[in-house]
Amino acid sequence: MKLQGQIVDIINKRIYKGEVTISEGKISNIEEKEHNNNTFILPGFIDAHIHIESSMLVPSEFARIAVNHGTVATVSDPHEIANVLGIDGVNFMIENGKQTPFKFNFGAPSCVPATSFESAGATIDSDGIKRLMANPDIKYLAELMNYPGVLHDDEEVLKKIAWAKHYKKPVDGHAPGVVGDDITTYINAGISTDHECFTYNEALEKLQKGMKILIREGSAAKNFDALIDLLPEHYENMMFCSDDKHPDDLIIDHINKLCARAVAKGMNIFKVLQVACINPIHHYNLDVGMLRIGDAADCIVVQNLKDFKVLKTYIDGELVSDCGNSKLSAKAFKNLNNFNTEKKVVADFRIASEVRKIRVIEAMEGQLVTNELIAEATIKDGNLIANTSTDVLKMTVVNRYKNDAPAMAFIKNIGLKDGAIASSVGHDSHNIIAVGVSDDLICKAVNLIIENKGGICAVTDSEVKIVPLPVAGIMSDQDGETIAKHYAQLDATAKQLGSTLNAPYMTLSFMALLVIPSLKLSDKGLFNGSDFKFTTVEVYS
């Protein structure tokens, strides 16, 4: 097979008319040649850090959509399913991914559970990490979210890092806002990347100290604008990633969009494409082609180098997407899950108190970090309740692995004026998380999730809508187009109920993520992520 077009040689910083010959999945020849084809041939895009589960799609279905945007590979942390099902969940992701030519590169989840302050469905200790690291399908030790454990020489954490070093596999970082001597200690432990930077200066310091920085633009966390100006000088040590990408967003674009945005800012095309296509291969030692003779034929044809509209995607020489039509077929698989809690009653969501002040989680658009606010309490019949006029809504996290009392808190900026929304996608332990305007509706939403053993939903007094997620309570067994459509409809419903957030369900899912400050809620209670300890809803002073 021969491809003609403008060949983009990222490594040698050249663009020239030529022809690429592909045989037996490899590039057997590249030569300069005159022709009339003005499309561009370049290496495929790589998402350098993504949780496939956050697309609500199993890997084979994620691949079927992603190839339409020129993505040929991902560096994927199966942390979400691992927190539900442990190593069995990791193996499910690997095996399902192998049913497609797409190049999934899975890591060993380093923090299962993410902290000791929440209930997860499984544990992966250092012996489990040893077992995973010995597996050639595992390419790296995934994000070390327990940065306090690194800084304080936690024995288990250091053993996990040691096993990664033993097998000569890189260690991914997760250190939001960690700077100064602390980040130096963190890096010196052997941690080489961070995708959690949300300011220019934070990322610059980490780059100067030798870290690779990933520019993240996902469905919830969006750091592209804050970090992209670092690329011209530091392009050799940067990568693009999504981290979390919901299905309705994945249908529209992927890493190709980040390239278009960077080029629109006047950035050098070769530097942008090195970040998007080359750097992850070198850092993670990926078996992905770079458009060189002898490489795997993992390449794409794009209409131009401005909007990067993908015309064709090839993986190992196989045409996997043609003009936006995926050539990959859906794959059959067996659902697996872990859901063991009983339905709740409205009284479970009462907060009996006469206190005048309460702590409130302030959600922030496009960020995983939150703020802590102090607000006036609204009390009815001795129960702390939501106040829609001040947008202080009631929130719960319910343990889905055993029958336990719900944890309660309050949250601002979700924006609901009516109803409740709930999800069993609740990072990192994936317990049930819900927000609503009344205890009755919160209870109704939580019970709808329990009945379906996983999903995302919206409820009012008169209506219920749910997208079931029967695979580990976090992924669908439907095709990508169907789940994207249904998710978009549910997202619209949440906004009709008053939410002003760009991605209300994605934002909701991170309100239980304790390892990112400042104030979050686990199934065990309200948690201060800055001090790394529990706090109270009531404020007495």
Side-chain angles (χ1 to χ4, degrees):
M1 180 173 61
K2 296 181 184 296
L3 303 178
Q4 289 186 341
Q6 307 261 12
I7 295 172
V8 182
D9 183 347
I10 300 169
I11 295 167
N12 295 306
K13 297 178 171 58
R14 289 184 65 212
I15 300 175
Y16 59 90
K17 284 193 173 185
E19 184 175 80
V20 177
T21 303
I22 299 172
S23 58
E24 297 181 350
K26 302 283 188 182
I27 295 176
S28 57
N29 192 39
I30 301 175
E31 60 178 327
E32 294 193 37
K33 188 172 185 177
E34 282 297 320
H35 51 70
N36 296 320
N37 191 330
N38 291 316
T39 59
F40 293 83
I41 305 170
L42 58 148
F45 299 124
I46 302 169
D47 192 327
H49 176 80
I50 186 168
H51 304 279
I52 300 298
E53 304 96 310
S54 289
S55 70
M56 302 182 190
L57 305 174
V58 295
S60 58
E61 196 58 34
F62 175 96
R64 212 175 60 78
I65 305 302
V67 292
N68 290 334
H69 308 307
T71 307
V72 300
T74 60
V75 179
S76 305
D77 176 7
H79 171 90
E80 316 305 342
I81 196 168
N83 268 282
V84 179
L85 292 158
I87 290 177
D88 287 346
V90 176
N91 290 334
F92 169 84
M93 300 295 280
I94 292 170
E95 294 308 314
N96 184 266
K98 283 181 177 180
Q99 295 186 60
T100 168
F102 191 91
K103 297 190 172 180
F104 290 104
N105 297 277
F106 287 106
S110 67
C111 297
V112 180
T115 72
S116 60
F117 303 103
E118 59 198 295
S119 302
T123 298
I124 300 178
D125 60 12
S126 57
D127 288 336
I129 293 297
K130 176 185 177 182
R131 195 170 126 207
L132 287 168
M133 280 290 146
N135 183 346
D137 290 323
I138 295 292
K139 303 296 184 182
Y140 67 106
L141 182 63
E143 55 179 316
L144 257 166
M145 293 180 292
N146 186 4
Y147 56 84
V150 178
L151 300 180
H152 297 105
D153 294 329
D154 180 275
E155 185 178 354
E156 266 292 287
V157 171
L158 296 183
K159 280 182 181 178
K160 292 175 182 179
I161 296 172
W163 281 121
K165 291 177 178 178
H166 175 81
Y167 285 100
K168 297 180 172 57
K169 296 179 181 181
V171 182
D172 263 7
H174 168 115
V178 180
V179 294
D181 290 343
D182 284 349
I183 197 60
T184 301
T185 301
Y186 191 72
I187 293 167
N188 288 343
I191 298 161
S192 56
T193 70
D194 194 17
H195 59 276
E196 292 287 349
C197 298
F198 47 90
T199 70
Y200 178 99
N201 288 335
E202 177 191 352
L204 179 60
E205 178 183 347
K206 289 172 179 176
L207 283 163
Q208 290 171 337
K209 290 182 174 180
M211 277 191 130
K212 302 285 199 313
I213 295 300
L214 280 63
I215 297 176
R216 171 179 59 186
E217 192 78 355
S219 294
K222 299 179 184 294
N223 309 123
F224 180 93
D225 289 333
L227 305 182
I228 193 61
D229 288 339
L230 288 161
L231 188 148
E233 185 177 347
H234 298 280
Y235 69 95
E236 292 178 321
N237 293 303
M238 301 188 82
M239 297 173 255
F240 286 135
C241 78
S242 301
D243 199 0
D244 296 281
K245 188 93 168 166
H246 264 187
D248 56 332
D249 288 337
L250 184 64
I251 287 284
I252 297 169
D253 57 46
H254 198 192
I255 301 301
N256 57 328
K257 179 66 171 180
L258 303 188
C259 292
R261 288 176 62 183
V263 169
K265 292 177 72 72
M267 294 186 178
N268 179 279
I269 185 67
F270 298 111
K271 292 181 178 181
V272 171
L273 292 178
Q274 179 162 333
V275 170
C277 310
I278 305 298
N279 290 346
I281 297 173
H282 291 314
H283 182 74
Y284 293 101
N285 192 29
L286 307 182
D287 182 21
V288 180
M290 293 185 280
L291 200 63
R292 302 176 304 182
I293 294 174
D295 277 3
D298 305 323
C299 55
I300 62 177
V301 179
V302 301
Q303 194 167 61
N304 58 55
L305 299 179
K306 291 183 179 179
D307 61 20
F308 295 91
K309 180 181 178 182
V310 177
L311 303 178
K312 294 181 187 294
T313 302
Y314 296 88
I315 300 177
D316 289 330
E318 177 184 346
L319 179 64
V320 293
S321 178
D322 188 3
C323 295
N325 297 309
S326 181
K327 298 292 186 181
L328 300 179
S329 59
K331 304 297 181 183
F333 59 90
K334 183 180 178 181
N335 285 356
L336 66 172
N337 207 342
N338 184 2
F339 224 102
N340 298 302
T341 192
E342 297 172 8
K343 290 173 72 172
K344 307 303 174 188
V345 296
V346 176
D348 290 331
F349 301 97
R350 283 179 56 89
I351 305 175
S353 179
E354 297 289 346
V355 74
R356 298 178 65 179
K357 299 279 188 181
I358 55 172
R359 278 187 184 81
V360 177
I361 299 166
E362 183 186 28
M364 299 169 67
E365 180 67 81
Q367 299 291 343
L368 306 188
V369 293
T370 64
N371 291 325
E372 177 182 323
L373 302 177
I374 305 298
E376 294 288 332
T378 303
I379 305 170
K380 183 178 180 181
D381 299 329
N383 177 32
L384 300 182
I385 62 171
N387 186 332
T388 55
S389 65
T390 58
D391 188 26
V392 175
L393 302 180
K394 210 164 190 178
M395 173 181 171
T396 186
V397 174
V398 178
N399 186 334
R400 64 127 129 174
Y401 304 106
K402 66 176 183 178
N403 206 39
D404 220 339
M408 304 302 302
F410 288 90
I411 189 165
K412 187 177 180 67
N413 287 344
I414 300 297
L416 298 179
K417 299 300 182 185
D418 186 21
I421 60 175
S423 173
S424 57
V425 179
H427 302 283
D428 272 321
S429 294
H430 300 291
N431 289 301
I432 303 164
I433 186 167
V435 172
V437 303
S438 71
D439 295 1
D440 293 64
L441 290 170
I442 290 171
C443 184
K444 185 176 182 178
V446 167
N447 284 340
L448 187 58
I449 299 295
I450 294 171
E451 287 168 15
N452 285 271
K453 294 191 180 296
I456 55 174
C457 75
V459 306
T460 64
D461 285 327
S462 59
E463 194 173 9
V464 298
K465 291 183 179 179
I466 186 164
V467 176
L469 299 174
V471 185
I474 55 176
M475 290 179 285
S476 173
D477 56 0
Q478 302 295 304
D479 65 83
E481 291 84 2
T482 297
I483 189 69
K485 178 183 176 182
H486 290 168
Y487 174 78
Q489 290 170 345
L490 198 61
D491 183 76
T493 298
K495 290 168 182 173
Q496 288 164 8
L497 293 175
S499 181
T500 56
L501 291 168
N502 177 59
Y505 287 98
M506 183 66 90
T507 299
L508 179 65
S509 73
F510 286 105
M511 293 303 102
L513 184 57
L514 308 187
V515 294
I516 294 184
S518 169
L519 200 61
K520 298 289 176 73
L521 180 65
S522 88
D523 67 292
K524 296 182 178 181
L526 191 61
F527 189 79
N528 186 315
S530 300
D531 298 336
F532 235 65
K533 62 183 182 182
F534 287 110
T535 186
T536 58
V537 172
E538 297 101 328
V539 178
Y540 294 101
S541 58

